[in-house]
Amino acid sequence: MSRGHVGRQSLRLLIGVCIILSSAFLIDAANAEGQSNFPSPREQVITLGAGINAFSYDPVWKSQKNARIKDSHLRKMKDAGFRTIRVNLMSFAYMDSSGRLDPEWLSTLDDLIARLLSFGFNIILDEHDFIECREDVELCERRLIDFWSQISIRYRNSPPTVLFELLNEPSRDITPSVWNGMSRRLLEIIRRSNPKRNVLIGPAHFNSIDYLDRLEIPVDDKNIIVTVHYYLPLEFSHQRFPMGNWFPTLPLRGWGGGKEQQKVMADFYKAQNWAERNNRVLYLGEFGTYEQAPLADRAKYAGFLTRTAESLGWAWAYWQFDKSFSLYDIEGDKWVEPILSALIPGK
Ligand code: GLC
C-alpha cells in the first residue's frame, strides 16, 4: 500500500469524523435553539395546575384495543378542570435484554402522548419502576439509562408541555447518596438532547419531604422541578391497602382533626422553606387515600392538601384516576364525587 493511498484514506476518515461531529453539533445547536424559549420551572408550575396520575395499570400497554382509559374519560378529566396527566410508565417489562424498548410499546406511548396533547394536557412522563429499582440498584440504573437514552431522544422535539420525571419514589437501597449520583447521571443523558426541558426529581425515601435536605441536584441546572409525595399519616391513607398488607388489624380511622391539619401544614411549610432556601419550585406529584378510609374524610384530606399546596404556589397530581385510591369509578362510569369536588371546588 503506497503512502499516498494511506494519506488519502486518513483524509477521508478525518473528513468523515468532521462531518459526524459537526452534524452532532448542529443537531445539538438546533435543539438548544429550539428549547431556548422553554418555560422556567416557576412559569411552568403555574400552568400545571390540577393534575391526575393515570395509566399505571392500564391494559393499554399490552394491547391498545384493551385500553381502560378512553377518550371519553380524557374529555371528562379536561371538563373537570384537570390540566396535567402524570403518566406512570412501567417500562422495564417492555425492554429486551439489551435494554431496547419494545417498538410496539413505544408506538403506544407515541399515540398516548399525541392524544393527551390533542386534549391540551400537560404530560409528565414518570418512570415508575420503583419497586424493581429498590430491589436491584445496579440493574435499575442500567435500565433507567437505557430508558432515558431512548425516551429523551425520541421526544426531544415535543412541546415544553411534555416533562420528564427520572424515577418515582427512589427508596430503600437507593439511599440519598446513591440517588444523588444516579439522578445526576440520568440528568446528564437527558440534557444532551433536551437542554431546557423541565425535569422532575424528587428526594429519596419515597419522595419524602423529610429527605429534601439530603437531595443534591446540580446547582447550575435551572430546569428542575422538585417533586414530593404525601401520604401521612399512612395509618389513614393506606388503611387496609392489600398490597403490602397495611395495618390489617387497626380499626378503621378518619382524618381531619386540628392536630392532623397542623401536621400537614408544618410538613408543607418545611418543604416550602427548603425550596426557597434552594431557589427551587415544588410539585406535589402524589397524594391520596385507599378506598377503605371513610369517604367523607378522604375528601376532606384531598381538599385540605390541595388548598394548602396551592396556597404555597405548588401544582399537584392526585393518586390516581383508576384502579385503587381511585377518583373515577370506571365500572359505574362516574367520578367519586366527594373527592372530585374537594379537589376542584365547584365541580
Ligand atoms: C405510591 C406509588 C404508587 C402506589 C401508591 C400507593 O407512593 O407511587 O405506585 O400504588 O403510592 O401506595
Side-chain angles (χ1 to χ4, degrees):
M1 206 186 290
S2 72
R3 287 182 62 177
H5 180 79
V6 173
R8 272 196 303 281
Q9 252 198 349
S10 341
L11 187 65
R12 266 203 297 274
L13 189 67
L14 187 67
I15 293 173
V17 169
C18 286
I19 291 173
I20 292 170
L21 285 179
S22 60
S23 56
F25 173 77
L26 282 177
I27 289 171
D28 276 352
N31 215 32
E33 178 62 27
Q35 296 194 344
S36 63
N37 58 347
F38 273 34
S40 70
R42 217 166 283 283
E43 290 162 338
Q44 185 141 37
V45 159
I46 295 169
T47 65
L48 294 180
I52 189 160
N53 283 277
F55 297 103
S56 57
Y57 304 99
D58 199 302
V60 70
W61 301 112
K62 291 223 156 36
S63 151
Q64 290 229 38
K65 64 178 183 336
N66 295 335
R68 241 170 107 77
I69 304 180
K70 310 235 171 7
D71 278 1
S72 56
H73 300 115
L74 297 178
R75 169 55 49 215
K76 286 188 178 184
M77 294 184 209
K78 188 78 188 159
D79 291 347
F82 288 101
R83 293 160 78 176
T84 300
I85 313 287
R86 182 170 178 257
V87 180
N88 316 114
L89 299 170
M90 292 160 178
S91 68
F92 292 4
Y94 299 91
M95 278 179 186
D96 66 18
S97 54
S98 71
R100 191 167 154 270
L101 284 162
D102 174 8
E104 230 176 275
W105 184 87
L106 281 168
S107 109
T108 302
L109 182 58
D110 289 346
D111 290 353
L112 179 60
I113 291 177
R115 266 166 73 208
L116 294 175
L117 288 176
S118 76
F119 276 90
F121 287 118
N122 304 294
I123 303 168
I124 298 174
L125 296 181
D126 150 47
E127 213 307 324
H128 206 86
D129 283 299
F130 69 117
I131 295 186
E132 287 73 359
C133 270
R134 68 191 184 203
E135 272 150 24
D136 186 340
V137 177
E138 259 176 55
L139 182 65
C140 164
E141 177 156 349
R142 274 208 305 280
R143 288 287 185 239
L144 290 176
I145 288 174
D146 291 334
F147 177 81
W148 286 115
S149 303
Q150 293 164 80
I151 294 296
S152 60
I153 290 187
R154 192 174 187 93
Y155 298 115
R156 70 176 163 201
N157 294 321
S158 300
T161 48
V162 178
L163 295 89
F164 296 159
E165 180 171 340
L166 297 184
L167 172 65
N168 177 66
E169 300 195 350
S171 42
R172 302 212 181 135
D173 286 357
I174 308 184
T175 60
S177 69
V178 169
W179 180 231
N180 289 338
M182 193 191 289
S183 57
R184 186 172 31 77
R185 291 186 285 277
L186 296 174
L187 189 62
E188 273 167 20
I189 291 172
I190 291 176
R191 287 298 176 234
R192 285 179 206 149
S193 49
N194 290 267
K196 294 285 175 197
R197 187 177 305 281
N198 284 326
V199 172
L200 285 89
I201 307 178
H205 198 69
F206 305 92
N207 295 150
S208 155
I209 287 174
D210 288 337
Y211 279 66
L212 278 170
D213 271 334
R214 293 188 236 176
L215 177 66
E216 285 170 17
I217 40 184
V219 268
D220 52 350
D221 193 320
K222 304 294 179 214
N223 289 94
I224 295 171
I225 295 174
V226 175
T227 180
V228 292
H229 292 179
Y230 199 85
Y231 287 100
L232 299 178
L234 291 172
E235 294 84 346
F236 169 64
S237 69
H238 279 64
Q239 53 193 310
R240 309 277 161 90
F241 183 42
M243 204 200 280
N245 203 13
W246 294 67
F247 316 113
T249 56
L250 288 184
L252 290 174
R253 56 162 282 176
W255 183 88
K259 278 214 175 99
E260 289 175 318
Q261 298 192 352
Q262 277 161 21
K263 164 78 176 142
V264 171
M265 285 166 70
D267 286 342
F268 282 24
Y269 290 176
K270 181 166 99 173
Q272 183 59 18
N273 199 284
W274 176 91
E276 281 164 21
R277 274 187 283 120
N278 290 277
N279 202 18
R280 296 290 178 187
V281 185
L282 290 175
Y283 186 72
L284 178 61
E286 277 189 28
F287 60 97
T289 43
Y290 184 58
E291 278 77 1
Q292 289 290 312
L295 184 55
D297 293 334
R298 296 178 67 203
K300 208 191 293 175
Y301 182 79
F304 190 78
L305 262 62
T306 41
R307 293 301 82 71
T308 309
E310 286 164 358
S311 75
L312 296 168
W314 308 355
W316 50 263
Y318 183 79
W319 181 269
Q320 65 179 329
F321 179 69
D322 170 39
K323 180 79 176 175
S324 62
F325 292 59
S326 334
L327 183 54
Y328 196 84
D329 166 9
I330 291 221
E331 277 70 35
D333 204 16
K334 56 180 188 328
W335 291 104
V336 180
E337 283 295 344
I339 302 183
L340 178 64
S341 49
L343 289 171
I344 307 183
K347 286 293 160 188

